[in-house]
Amino acid sequence: MKKILFSVLVLLVAVGVSNEAWATTIVDWNFPNNPDDAIVDQSILVNTAKTITTLGTNAPTFDVTGATTNAATATGWDNGSGTRYWEVEFATTNYKDLTVSSKQRSSNTGPQDFKVQYDCGAGWTDLPGGTVTVANDFTTGVLTTVSLPVACNNLASVSLRWIMTSNTSVGGGVVGAAGTSRIDDLLIEGTEAVSPTITSVTTAHADGSFTIGEVIDITVTYTEVVTVVGGPPTLALNSGGTASYIGGTGTDTLTFRYTVAAAQTSADLDYSNTSDLALNGATIRDAALNDANNTLLAVGTFAAAHAIMIDTTGPTGSISNGSGDPTNDDTPTLNLTIVDVGVGIGGAQMQFSCNDATWTGWEAYATPKTNFDINSGANGCLVVDGIKTVYARFQDSLGNIGTSYNTGAFTLDTTNPVFSSIGVTSDNPFDSGYAKPGSTLTFTLTLASPDTFNGPGVGTGQITFTIGGGVPITIDFNEP
């Protein structure tokens, strides 16, 4: 009866030995039946249909005495040096630390000298320690747990062959056509491959708030040394940025570099999903060629250990003219507001312009602003009355500058009206040039030139004058 070995997870409580230390039978031909056949007798599930074959000989049979029960045997080995061999093929998927054992016996006219070769995808190669000298017994031509190279680990197909290396027979003559070669207890073992897993994601970077151009190195540590080939792998971050692998192959810790770019933001830097480490065509494997499990630690683990804010957005705000329209105030009251959803407005600064191009220097944010001269000839402000617009923009403590805001257009008029003549009439005749008590006087004012910013006249205003050198009189007037 053929036996199939299934992997069973056993919780070893009483002894401090990991299950990795226990060897698993990958394939085993021990021929317990008589007659038997070429099919493997014990194996992992993927290898249940594997067979043992020969090349260049007569077809093997399985009805002769072996080392313990029965064995495979074949004739036709004459002139077979370098061309005739026993061969098995099997899978080592999810297994490492592979070894091979076997027992061989030849008749006196059968072949004496063999070597084991392996093919793990790169062609036939001699196995170190795989030279076999056979006698007419099962105790001489024995290999015991000879290690296979790590290149054979975790593969869908591995081949081994026991190939003749001379035409010398066990009896010292030349191998005869009727000479036999037997093989028994052909055993391939291995330990279940344990993939490297991630144990930490961290950074040595200082906590704080950072903006465009900041470089943050993030380290990912595995349970064992890993090798990175291809890629590079990347780590997606919740800021919208990506950290790219820059080094660490051949160690247990890989370094990913994140350079903050525009439009990226995070209140607390982290990754968003445990699957955010992308290979991008790379492989991350241990020395046994086991692919790493690149599942990250729970989301929030990194953020809980660090306090790194990414803020690349400038403050928003507003500006309004608090001096009215029109105004004769060339340093109008500028009412301001500011909002910053990143680092906040602490340490925020502001600057001003009349053309949204040439700006004052930065100054600490404060509202209202009452000393910006819109008639100065500087910062885009023309030295002329007329339509004015004041612009403001804000900068946070990280240096992020927001868009500009403006007051909207308003009129500045600092020019006094000039009159060319003043006439006066009374509803009662003057008495020697003086108005009689109770008279109503009508003054007619003639402008020397139109008031540029209030049409052809002066609109509403006041006039102050004295009569006969007396007390000044101020009168409100309204242009008809």
Side-chain angles (χ1 to χ4, degrees), residues 63-273:
D63 54 358
V64 296
T65 300
T68 51
T69 52
N70 300 293
T73 184
T75 59
W77 297 91
D78 50 308
N79 298 311
S81 178
T83 60
R84 300 183 182 183
Y85 49 83
W86 294 99
E87 182 179 6
V88 294
E89 182 274 330
F90 50 93
T92 63
T93 308
N94 294 326
Y95 286 88
K96 62 178 182 177
D97 302 326
L98 305 171
T99 64
V100 57
S101 301
S102 65
K103 297 175 182 178
Q104 288 179 264
R105 175 179 180 174
S106 292
S107 64
N108 288 337
T109 57
Q112 171 186 269
D113 301 310
F114 289 84
K115 66 179 178 182
V116 179
Q117 294 182 316
Y118 64 88
D119 182 1
C120 297
W124 290 109
T125 304
D126 292 350
L127 178 66
T131 300
V132 184
T133 301
V134 179
N136 196 355
D137 57 55
F138 274 110
T139 58
T140 303
V142 176
L143 295 179
T144 304
T145 59
V146 176
S147 295
L148 295 176
V150 295
C152 296
N153 294 348
N154 194 28
L155 293 181
S157 179
V158 174
S159 294
L160 295 179
R161 67 181 182 182
W162 286 250
I163 188 169
M164 289 175 57
T165 58
S166 78
N167 290 319
T168 300
S169 69
V170 167
V174 176
V175 174
T180 63
S181 170
R182 304 183 194 185
I183 194 166
D184 193 11
D185 295 342
L186 196 165
L187 173 65
I188 313 298
E189 293 180 300
T191 57
E192 190 168 2
V194 178
S195 295
T197 58
I198 293 172
T199 60
S200 76
V201 182
T202 189
T203 181
H205 197 283
D207 290 345
S209 300
F210 306 96
T211 189
I212 297 170
E214 188 70 20
V215 175
I216 301 173
D217 286 345
I218 298 172
T219 55
V220 178
T221 301
Y222 290 82
T223 51
E224 59 180 306
V225 171
V226 293
T227 299
V228 180
V229 177
T234 54
L235 178 62
L237 301 171
N238 66 355
S239 63
T242 300
S244 296
Y245 166 75
I246 61 169
T249 187
T251 72
D252 64 353
T253 300
L254 306 182
T255 300
F256 293 76
R257 176 159 293 173
Y258 170 44
T259 301
V260 180
Q264 296 175 2
T265 182
S266 172
D268 197 355
L269 188 64
D270 203 345
Y271 41 85
S272 297
N273 300 284

Side-chain angles (χ1 to χ4, degrees), residues 209 309 311 315 338-348 395-398:
S209 300
M309 172 182 282
D311 179 9
I338 183 173
V339 176
D340 192 289
V341 297
V343 294
I345 64 173
Q395 175 178 261
D396 65 21
S397 60
L398 296 177

